[in-house]
Amino acid sequence: MKLYHYVTKGNNVLKTGLFSFSKSPNVDLNYYTKRSGCKTQAEISKWMEKCFKGRSRGIRLLIEPLQYTERTPKIKEFIESADLFEIDVSALEKDGLIEAIYVSPSVLEKEPENKNDEALFKISDLAEIDFTPNDYTILDDEKGWRFAFMRYYLFIMKDGVIPAKYIRKSNMLKVRPAQKEDALAIATINTLGWKKGYKGLLPDSILDAMEVTEKRIERTKEIISNTEIYLVAEDESGVLGFLTGGKTKNKGLPYLYEIYVFYVHPDHWRGGIGTALIQAFKKKIKGADFCVYMLDGNKRALNFYQKMGGIRYPEFDCDTEINHVMTHDIFLGFKGENK
């Protein structure tokens, strides 16, 4: 799982790591001096610890790279003046470096009496992180509506530092139309997605038999050429996920468009890739209604779709046969942005 952090250009993050307030050698005191009335880094750190244990060792992480609009030139300026880093929080958790995690909701998600406070709520683990995209269209520099309207997570680090080995500089995820040259990567992601995502939901005999063969790669090339919408998400390391879709296959459904096939490489689950592909698909269909079928029992996928706005309609569920095994597919519909 990846989260994100911005640091002003000219930094040494890939050598030194990311520092919390209490550990930073070049901390900016202005913001917290105004809030706490304290003047030194040590005094402010003590004030933070009185708020709750570990706060001075916290590092803010974002669920996705920031976006800007014509109404937010200051956010554009911030993005262009900084380097974006990806943090491997799954590895941090595995190595026992995370002491606690807190979420700071957007002001739109806060209770009325807390609208002006930096409200922080403790969560139990990484599984509770909400990857629902922030709504950047509501931000407005003139009204001062910027970072307070974005959800972020405060990671309390045991030593107050995220070591450099858990950090890499991001080259920004790109979503583009698939090409025949992507067929091998797509077939590989599809295979890995089935083997890990459907473990325990389909018989091992079906999953074990799945392989990336030349025949399958050639078939993938044909599908790329003949599918209305075929998108891939990639970074500098290569293709990380794909989504296919188009007009709804079952004309009896009350939706114009449908997601046909959608997989992200298991090593990159919860890294914002699925969200990026869904957003690109929505742009392709110009904000129209759409739907998706998914294998019943896949709680991870169901949670993702529901966080993206999917609504269950059991009356459209159906049964499907996969290699002589009957499975149950559940149906989710998404309201269009034009409604």
Side-chain angles (χ1 to χ4, degrees), residues 39-273:
K39 295 182 179 180
T40 68
Q41 184 174 2
E43 290 173 344
I44 295 173
S45 294
K46 289 182 180 179
W47 171 80
M48 287 182 169
E49 291 299 314
K50 288 180 180 179
C51 297
F52 61 82
K53 182 182 177 182
R55 186 171 184 180
S56 68
R57 291 179 281 110
I59 298 175
R60 297 184 186 187
L61 300 180
L62 304 172
I63 60 169
E64 61 190 347
L66 298 176
Q67 300 176 30
Y68 60 84
T69 68
E70 59 183 11
R71 295 195 303 277
T72 52
K74 289 186 178 179
I75 292 181
K76 179 182 179 182
E77 181 181 336
F78 172 82
I79 293 171
E80 293 176 345
S81 67
D83 291 325
L84 175 63
F85 294 96
E86 298 174 2
I87 318 301
D88 187 347
V89 293
S90 296
L92 287 174
E93 183 181 57
K94 180 180 178 181
D95 292 344
L97 300 183
I98 301 171
E99 183 175 305
I101 308 172
Y102 291 80
V103 59
S104 178
S106 158
V107 295
L108 297 176
E109 301 170 323
K110 295 175 183 176
E111 297 297 328
E113 63 270 19
N114 293 323
K115 288 290 187 186
N116 297 318
D117 292 338
E118 186 183 26
L120 290 162
F121 304 96
K122 192 173 184 179
I123 62 175
S124 60
D125 54 32
L126 297 180
E128 287 195 44
I129 292 178
D130 182 359
F131 283 94
T132 305
N134 291 300
D135 184 359
Y136 296 95
T137 63
I138 65 173
L139 306 186
D140 193 316
D141 280 350
E142 291 186 1
K143 295 179 180 179
W145 292 0
R146 290 190 290 274
F147 295 104
F149 286 77
M150 303 177 197
R151 185 185 334 105
Y152 74 83
Y153 289 85
L154 187 71
F155 277 65
I156 310 301
M157 306 306 298
K158 289 187 175 178
D159 294 323
V161 178
I162 297 178
K165 71 176 185 176
Y166 301 96
I167 305 169
R168 73 168 185 166
K169 193 172 181 180
S170 176
N171 286 335
M172 297 296 289
L173 188 71
K174 294 193 304 181
V175 178
R176 59 168 175 79
Q179 301 175 359
K180 290 184 178 181
E181 292 75 15
D182 301 315
L184 172 59
I186 290 170
T188 300
I189 292 169
N190 194 5
T191 299
L192 294 174
W194 271 64
K195 287 179 178 290
K196 187 166 185 178
Y198 299 152
K199 184 73 173 177
L201 300 178
L202 293 176
D204 288 344
S205 58
I206 293 178
L207 301 179
D208 293 343
M210 291 193 68
E211 296 180 357
V212 180
T213 62
E214 284 298 324
K215 181 178 180 180
R216 192 158 169 220
I217 293 170
E218 291 303 313
R219 176 57 180 154
T220 300
K221 291 179 181 179
E222 293 177 14
I223 296 172
I224 290 172
S225 299
N226 297 314
T227 302
E228 184 178 353
I229 299 172
Y230 208 131
L231 303 170
V232 295
E234 67 176 358
D235 65 8
E236 75 282 357
S237 68
V239 175
L240 305 176
F242 71 96
L243 180 153
T244 78
K247 295 292 177 59
T248 307
K249 293 180 178 180
N250 181 349
K251 301 306 179 183
L253 294 173
Y255 291 86
L256 183 60
Y257 289 94
E258 179 181 356
I259 292 175
Y260 302 151
V261 185
F262 179 25
Y263 290 95
V264 172
H265 194 295
D267 289 349
H268 297 275
W269 285 350
R270 291 178 173 164
I273 296 164

